[in-house]
Amino acid sequence: MAAYRIGVLKGDGIGPEVVPAAVDLADLSARAAGLSVEWVELPVGLEAYGQLGDTLPPQTVEALRGCHGWVLGPVEHHRYDPRLPSMRNPSGTLRRLFDLYANERPARNLPGVPSRYEGVDLVVVRENTEGFYADRNVLEGDAELLVTPDVVVSLRVVTRRACQRIAEYAFQLARRRARPGRVTAVHKANVLRRGDGLFLECCRSVASRYPDVAFDHVHVDAAAYFLVREPQRYDVLVTTNLFGDILSDQAAGLVGSLGVAPSLNAGDGYAMAQAVHGSAPDIAGRGVANPTAEILSVAMLFEWLGRRFDDPAATEAARRLEEAVGAALSAGVRTPDLGGSATTAEFARAVRAHLAPGSML
Ligand code: NAD
């Protein structure tokens, strides 16, 4: 395979701190694994708005069409003016434009990371293109209606096609994971009888084609309870957009910090690495953000490239990157979110030392 083109969109807040660190380490890992990557930096977010008048400039979207995948840093969406089309949420817009329908969000104990639980190894698979997300449910405008100044109606979209393919994604993932697979559908079909009823029906029908993967389902409120009581009981949790967003942050808290929670947004043609966390305005600019989530998200992108292009070098680059992060954490190098005092740069240096032991640090 010739060089992969991977877009780099730094985003807002801590994005310009954690994304370059992740890309730098991913590049080292790729080189060591014999993987050729061309990194293409593209404008996005508040900086792009300041320079080009658009949080997701058309030239960025066009350039992404020529990429195999990309890394999107967090965006400080609450500061975007919802009345301005030029202040679109890049995250939601890209998921929809490139049909990145599956958001895969693993939560597992990492070596050396203090956490309330041990033995957690689960993945939340979140439908990414519809559900309760007002910015992706209608062709123009958004799906929140101001009926009177005191009444808002928010519309949720649930389609058979989206439910079936997210269920399919979850079962495929469960099959790939090392232990005997189990998929748990998380829903609220007792109240949202039609929308979540359709989701559950689709999960059941896909489950019947995967007899080797166990299947069960749980109401979302009970899922939140069981996650706190006994997170080890779960393997792959598949759910609709908003429930997945909430439960995956909860799952990140179970294994230490949002700073270690990676994610991948995948479709059939493209994939976007994007940490679970947001722009963390409370710590932005201080150089103390944990880059682990972003680094592991790029590792997930490498894994995806390995599967899509049947390329062992990409899989190997992912493995090396994960291993180096694990080694740095095991050695006790921790950013403040994990109770340590390392800066972003110090943590990145520790990872680098494991990727390229002889290099200048
Ligand atoms: P957040 O994830 O930015 O922060 C929540 C808490 O986690 C904060 O205390 C923060 O300091 C901490 N945290 C997050 N990432 C960290 C890291 N890498 N290292 C150390 N600590 C970390 O959530 P929020 O405060 O609710 O949202 C802030 C902004 O981010 C909002 O504008 C929101 O819309 C946006 N957001 C964007 C994304 C995305 O782009 N994927 C996701 C969630 C929120």
Side-chain angles (χ1 to χ4, degrees), residues 2 138 178:
V138 290

Side-chain angles (χ1 to χ4, degrees), residues 70-75 91-92 95 103 105 261-265 272-277 293-294 297-298:
W70 57 92
V71 187
L72 174 65
V75 291
S91 174
R95 289 172 185 179
N103 188 197
R105 295 182 153 190
S263 99
L264 187 76
N265 300 270
M272 172 167 89
Q274 183 187 28
V276 171
H277 62 73
E294 206 65 62
S297 301
V298 185

Side-chain angles (χ1 to χ4, degrees), residues 199-231:
F199 172 74
L200 184 55
E201 178 196 324
C202 291
C203 289
R204 282 192 170 119
S205 110
V206 172
S208 68
R209 287 190 278 105
Y210 289 82
D212 52 316
V213 179
F215 173 68
D216 60 1
H217 64 95
V218 61
H219 293 135
V220 64
D221 37 354
Y225 168 76
F226 287 128
L227 269 174
V228 170
R229 290 276 298 199
E230 194 198 343

